[in-house]
Amino acid sequence: MISVVILGAGNVATHLFKAFNTANNVSVNQWFNRNISSIFQYKNEVDITDDLSLLKDADVYIIAVSDDAIAELSKQLTFKNKLVVHTSGSVGIYDIDKKQKRGVFYPLQTFSKDAEMDFKNVPICIETIDKKDYHILKELAISIGSPTKKVNSDQRRVLHLAAVFVNNFTNQLYRIGHEITESEGAEFDLLKPLILETANKIQELSPYMAQTGPAKRHDKKTIKKHLKSLENDHHRAIYELLTLSIQQTHGRKKL
Amino acid sequence: MISVVILGAGNVATHLFKAFNTANNVSVNQWFNRNISSIFQYKNEVDITDDLSLLKDADVYIIAVSDDAIAELSKQLTFKNKLVVHTSGSVGIYDIDKKQKRGVFYPLQTFSKDAEMDFKNVPICIETIDKKDYHILKELAISIGSPTKKVNSDQRRVLHLAAVFVNNFTNQLYRIGHEITESEGAEFDLLKPLILETANKIQELSPYMAQTGPAKRHDKKTIKKHLKSLENDHHRAIYELLTLSIQQTHGRKKL
């Protein structure tokens, strides 16, 4: 049995709480949040507190607060030499106060407030300073069904950066697709099966092999038609830049 | 029973042949390709030919060849006043020779050579000049399980353009994610569940509502860190442009 204390009440904290709370060999000893009203609804399921001086003992303290608040919160912990981890992709492991044993438990996934998340679809990237701390974090991830991966700081940094490309930026392309279709009263919904298939395709195929379309084919006529048809300057700039990027990846000449 | 003749042997033609050939109320009377060796393996399932003068009679002739070849092929058809459609998102309906009844049967999906495709996930966008021709094309789409949508030329144009954004450009973002992770020996595979979840999320939520991340939060510190960490000029330009685009969509200040 691994005991944990969760600190924070955002999406990651809440999804982790729910997963740990239903896992067989994890005990959530306490849930801390500075503003207790955010976690008040869970008071019958777990001991809640807004007072750092009242934190209970646990094997692992999981700080799942906003990036900017991690260092400060870890500094305010009154105990020392306990395993304290944060869940951020972009905050350094050394940002955790040095009086603790430090680690990172980074779930590489996007969490929605309402949607349930099956943790078998949430790879946990684990980083520790002391090798001995790695195993308990790995066990913790396995206990909620997550695949795990040991990473170093550079690997975690590039994974977080790549996640911005494949998640935030991709979602913005969906948004632009929405804007473009709506401009002529066409239905964005018609694109949804294509969006799913695009994501499905690279589960088996590399993105390099999966590429298709006018940019890869160097189909100048269609590219020209598309650029002419784009009324929004930003959309046009994105079209040009990503077309060029595809053509650099797939050889031959430029736009 | 609707009878069809398919012209062309690319991915779309092949997937359509397989779907029509197993549909209950569709008869594939013939399959034409200029280079008959491409369809020779189907000779026991359907009548094949490479001779336009030998085309059989059918209710619908489906031209599924490359965009540039559609007009010329339609001109070479020896009969007249038959329903002839192409399957392209970007070619005009009037590119089909005017001696025929003209239409478009545009499957809004990305087809792989080897992967099977369930046509319930392939919306068919239908355009006809004569309203009477619309119904047979709709029936044809329904017979293979596809959702259908009547579109005009402008709507088809923007759907094809939006498809480039959500399919080709999104796939290029996956490719960049691949390059970035590999640069530090991190595994691209770790991003695959995130990629799927990003596509899944907007099946229910609008892309506007689904957006998260440093750009939307106007998290300058993380954005600066990311830009500094991107060694490839192209990746950096794409990061800047898409961050700006997200910030324009989600208000407040610029990068």
Side-chain angles (χ1 to χ4, degrees), chain A:
Chain A
M1 183 69 80
I2 304 171
S3 60
V4 301
V5 167
I6 296 170
L7 300 99
N11 280 340
V12 173
T14 304
H15 282 277
L16 281 176
F17 166 71
K18 287 178 182 170
F20 289 142
N21 207 34
T22 51
N24 284 327
N25 56 335
V26 181
S27 154
V28 183
N29 285 1
Q30 205 172 28
W31 192 354
F32 163 89
N33 198 51
R34 208 169 289 282
N35 176 2
I36 204 158
S37 67
S38 315
I39 51 175
F40 199 71
Q41 60 178 300
Y42 299 100
K43 68 178 191 301
N44 295 327
E45 296 174 59
V46 61
D47 182 46
I48 61 171
T49 184
D50 58 1
D51 186 344
L52 284 176
S53 71
L54 297 180
L55 282 193
K56 290 189 174 172
D57 190 53
D59 298 321
V60 188
Y61 293 81
I62 300 172
I63 299 182
V65 300
S66 66
D67 287 0
D68 287 344
I70 291 169
E72 183 58 29
L73 181 56
S74 79
K75 207 176 288 176
Q76 290 169 5
L77 297 174
T78 52
F79 48 79
K80 64 179 180 183
N81 214 26
K82 304 291 291 183
L83 180 53
V84 175
V85 303
H86 72 63
T87 58
S88 165
S90 63
V91 170
I93 192 169
Y94 295 102
D95 282 26
I96 298 170
D97 194 88
K98 65 176 183 293
K99 69 178 183 285
Q100 310 296 347
K101 296 190 282 178
R102 297 172 280 187
V104 180
F105 190 85
Y106 169 42
L108 188 40
Q109 189 47 281
T110 175
F111 295 94
S112 304
K113 196 164 179 284
D114 301 317
E116 287 294 304
M117 177 60 73
D118 186 339
F119 270 75
K120 80 173 191 295
N121 299 319
V122 184
I124 306 282
C125 302
I126 298 172
E127 188 181 342
T128 56
I129 295 172
D130 193 325
K131 272 184 191 170
K132 279 179 283 180
D133 299 326
Y134 167 70
H135 296 284
I136 189 170
L137 294 180
K138 179 169 179 167
E139 210 184 312
L140 193 59
I142 289 171
S143 74
I144 53 176
S146 289
T148 68
K149 187 72 198 172
K150 193 176 182 172
V151 295
N152 61 35
S153 294
D154 283 333
Q155 289 170 337
R156 182 163 53 89
R157 177 179 51 78
V158 294
L159 283 166
H160 182 257
L161 178 54
V164 168
F165 277 85
V166 304
N167 171 237
N168 306 149
F169 292 169
T170 287
N171 187 73
Q172 182 65 6
L173 294 181
Y174 301 161
R175 165 67 191 183
I176 293 170
H178 197 170
E179 288 176 17
I180 292 172
T181 47
E182 276 194 338
S183 72
E184 291 291 348
E187 284 176 26
F188 176 68
D189 280 4
L190 291 168
L191 293 164
K192 288 181 176 178
L194 175 62
I195 285 170
L196 267 188
E197 180 62 18
T198 304
N200 267 322
K201 223 171 171 177
I202 59 99
Q203 305 295 313
E204 304 295 333
L205 227 55
S206 72
Y208 182 87
M209 293 302 295
Q211 192 57 278
T212 60
K216 189 196 165 191
R217 287 197 309 273
H218 295 264
D219 175 351
K220 279 187 194 170
K221 220 166 112 184
T222 302
I223 293 168
K224 209 173 150 187
K225 241 196 269 187
H226 281 167
L227 284 172
K228 208 179 144 191
S229 145
L230 283 164
E231 284 162 16
N232 180 309
D233 288 344
H234 259 271
H235 296 172
R236 202 180 312 112
I238 290 166
Y239 188 103
E240 283 180 329
L241 192 55
L242 281 164
T243 293
L244 191 57
S245 179
I246 291 170
Q247 297 190 333
Q248 289 201 328
T249 298
H250 293 273
R252 298 231 317 257
K253 57 212 171 235
K254 300 196 176 175
L255 186 63

Side-chain angles (χ1 to χ4, degrees), chain B residues 4-250:
Chain B
V4 302
V5 167
I6 296 171
L7 299 99
N11 281 341
V12 173
T14 305
H15 282 277
L16 281 176
F17 166 71
K18 288 179 182 169
F20 288 142
N21 207 34
T22 52
N24 284 327
N25 56 334
V26 181
S27 154
V28 184
N29 285 1
Q30 205 172 27
W31 192 354
F32 162 89
N33 198 49
R34 208 169 289 281
N35 176 1
I36 204 157
S37 67
S38 315
I39 52 175
F40 199 72
Q41 61 177 302
Y42 299 99
K43 68 177 189 303
N44 295 327
E45 296 175 60
V46 63
D47 181 47
I48 62 172
T49 184
D50 57 1
D51 186 344
L52 283 176
S53 72
L54 297 179
L55 282 193
K56 292 190 173 171
D57 190 54
D59 298 322
V60 188
Y61 294 80
I62 300 172
I63 299 182
V65 300
S66 66
D67 287 0
D68 287 345
I70 292 169
E72 183 58 28
L73 180 57
S74 79
K75 208 176 288 177
Q76 291 169 5
L77 297 173
T78 53
F79 48 79
K80 64 179 180 180
N81 213 28
K82 303 290 292 181
L83 180 53
V84 175
V85 304
H86 72 62
T87 58
S88 165
S90 63
V91 170
I93 191 169
Y94 294 103
D95 283 25
I96 298 170
D97 193 87
K98 66 175 183 292
K99 71 178 181 285
Q100 310 296 347
K101 296 191 281 176
R102 297 172 280 186
V104 180
F105 190 85
Y106 169 43
L108 188 40
Q109 189 48 281
T110 175
F111 296 93
S112 304
K113 198 162 177 288
D114 301 317
E116 287 295 303
M117 177 60 74
D118 186 339
F119 271 76
K120 78 173 194 295
N121 298 320
V122 184
I124 306 283
C125 301
I126 299 172
E127 189 180 342
T128 56
I129 294 172
D130 193 325
K131 272 184 192 170
K132 279 178 283 180
D133 299 326
Y134 168 71
H135 297 285
I136 189 170
L137 294 180
K138 178 168 179 168
E139 210 183 313
L140 193 59
I142 289 171
S143 74
I144 52 176
S146 289
T148 68
K149 187 71 198 173
K150 193 176 184 172
V151 295
N152 61 36
S153 294
D154 283 332
Q155 289 170 337
R156 182 163 53 89
R157 177 179 51 78
V158 294
L159 283 166
H160 182 257
L161 178 55
V164 168
F165 278 85
V166 305
N167 172 236
N168 306 150
F169 293 169
T170 287
N171 187 73
Q172 183 64 6
L173 294 181
Y174 300 161
R175 165 68 191 183
I176 293 171
H178 198 170
E179 289 176 18
I180 292 172
T181 46
E182 276 193 338
S183 72
E184 292 291 348
E187 285 176 26
F188 176 68
D189 280 4
L190 290 167
L191 291 165
K192 288 181 175 178
L194 175 63
I195 285 171
L196 266 188
E197 179 63 16
T198 303
N200 267 321
K201 222 172 174 177
I202 59 98
Q203 304 296 314
E204 303 295 330
L205 228 53
S206 72
Y208 183 88
M209 292 302 294
Q211 192 57 279
T212 59
K216 189 197 166 188
R217 287 198 309 272
H218 295 263
D219 175 351
K220 280 187 195 170
K221 219 166 115 185
T222 302
I223 293 168
K224 209 173 150 185
K225 242 197 267 187
H226 281 167
L227 285 172
K228 207 179 147 192
S229 146
L230 282 163
E231 283 161 19
N232 180 309
D233 288 344
H234 258 272
H235 296 172
R236 201 181 311 113
I238 290 167
Y239 188 103
E240 281 180 330
L241 193 54
L242 281 164
T243 292
L244 191 58
S245 179
I246 291 171
Q247 297 189 335
Q248 289 201 328
T249 298
H250 294 274

